[in-house]
Every structure is written in C-alpha cells, then in structure tokens.
Amino acid sequence: MNKTVICPGSFDPVTLGHLDIITRASGMFDKVIVAVLVNSGKTPTFTTEERIQLLNDAVSGLPNVEIVSFKGLLAEYCKQSGIDTIVKGLRAVSDFEYEFQMAIANKKLNPNLETIFLTADSDSTFLSSSMVREIGSMGGDISNFVPACVHDRIVSKLRK
Ligand code: PNS
C-alpha cells in the first residue's frame, strides 16, 4: 500500500523539532505532505512564502517530502486529496489538550481521518517557534533550535 500522510502546522518558522518529526514520518510512510496552514489564533511573523521556502530548504534531503499551503480546512483538503492520516508531534502534556481537541474536531469533520502523534525527541520537548522568535528577535543564539541551512535567514528576519 502506498501511504501518504500530512504534517500540518504554522511553521513560523520551522524548528529542529518540526524537522525531527517530518524526518521520522518520512521514514515511516511513502510520502509526507507538509502543509503550511493558517492558525486563526496566531498572527504569523514569517509570510507564507517565507515559511514554505524555509521548509523546502530544510527538507531538501528528504525526497518523499512535499511542502504545500492552502487556505481552508485541513479536514476538507484531506478529503479532496484522499489523505486519511495526519501526523503531529507531541512535546509535552501541555500540548495534549490542544492537539486532542484538533484531532477530534478533524475526525468530526472527516470521519475517515486519523491523527497519529509522534513523541518529540527529548532534545526538542522544550522547543517552539514562538521561543525561537523571541530569542532570535532579542539577539540570542538560535543555532541549536533551527536547521543550519536556514539559520541565517531566520536570524536576519527576526532582527529586522
Ligand atoms: O503549528 P500550529 O499552529 O499548532 O498548527 C495548527 C494548524 C495550522 C494545524 C491548525 O490551526 C489547522 O489545521 N489550521 C487549518 C484550518 C483548520 O482546519 N482548522 C480547524 C482545525 S481543527
């Protein structure tokens, strides 16, 4: 069976935690679609195009990963595209309630949809895009938090 899964998120910007989940998913499934989406509760710092470009560069070594972006519901996109599995990373108990709510809501909208959680690598449990934005914008060192190939671009945007 040829299995395609989707990894949705804001990716504002991509972190090593995201890359870890995407890399592990790419080893488990035939194809991984990474979807850069609108989270109506957040105002992004990086434009959609910037987030896509950063992700494209970060996953350039993973041939079965594709970056997409669309406006609208994830559950609807999955229905239209024949995707039945969402893969997300779970960092800590603090993530659980929010992720659980989204998984249930997506299943209500599209009953064929399952959400699978991969536990975050122990080096990434503390890591978030918002922490990267805050540290980077105040001149802190984010080199341990974001993929090396996109580090300089993230830093230059955050320091503007
Ligand atoms: O990285 P985030 O911000 O936690 O990801 C949340 C995201 C973007 C996956 C979620 O907000 C989403 O799926 N947005 C697309 C619109 C949608 O389907 N909303 C209903 C989610 S239950």
Side-chain angles (χ1 to χ4, degrees):
M1 186 178 60
N2 207 305
K3 183 80 178 169
T4 298
V5 300
I6 191 162
C7 286
S10 304
F11 303 105
D12 186 37
V14 60
T15 68
L16 285 175
H18 295 133
L19 189 56
D20 171 56
I21 297 296
I22 295 165
T23 303
R24 284 158 59 201
S26 79
M28 296 167 70
F29 301 102
D30 298 295
K31 181 156 186 186
V32 177
I33 294 179
V34 177
V36 180
L37 301 184
V38 175
N39 178 337
S40 56
K42 297 177 180 172
T43 305
T45 297
F46 291 78
T47 66
T48 305
E49 290 67 32
E50 287 169 334
R51 289 180 278 154
I52 291 171
Q53 189 60 60
L54 293 170
L55 271 161
N56 261 318
D57 291 349
V59 305
S60 63
L62 303 171
N64 61 338
V65 176
E66 183 188 345
I67 313 299
V68 303
S69 183
F70 55 86
K71 295 199 170 70
L73 289 172
L74 174 61
E76 196 52 40
Y77 177 88
C78 290
K79 201 181 286 175
Q80 305 297 332
S81 316
I83 295 169
D84 63 8
T85 307
I86 298 169
V87 174
K88 295 218 76 180
L90 205 54
R91 287 169 302 188
V93 178
S94 51
D95 276 345
F96 181 76
E97 195 175 346
Y98 169 65
E99 294 294 348
F100 191 74
Q101 279 175 348
M102 279 199 293
I104 302 275
N106 280 322
K107 197 161 182 62
K108 291 280 180 210
L109 293 167
N110 175 353
N112 292 327
L113 213 40
E114 299 291 351
T115 301
I116 293 176
F117 293 104
L118 298 183
T119 48
D121 180 79
S122 58
D123 287 341
S124 307
T125 45
F126 68 96
L127 189 52
S128 65
S129 295
S130 60
M131 186 182 282
V132 164
R133 291 196 303 273
E134 181 160 330
I135 296 171
S137 66
M138 294 179 183
D141 180 6
I142 57 166
S143 56
N144 287 324
F145 306 153
V146 299
C149 62
V150 294
H151 170 270
D152 291 357
R153 265 178 288 154
I154 293 175
V155 167
S156 83
K157 170 92 182 188
L158 291 176
R159 290 195 186 170
K160 266 183 194 155

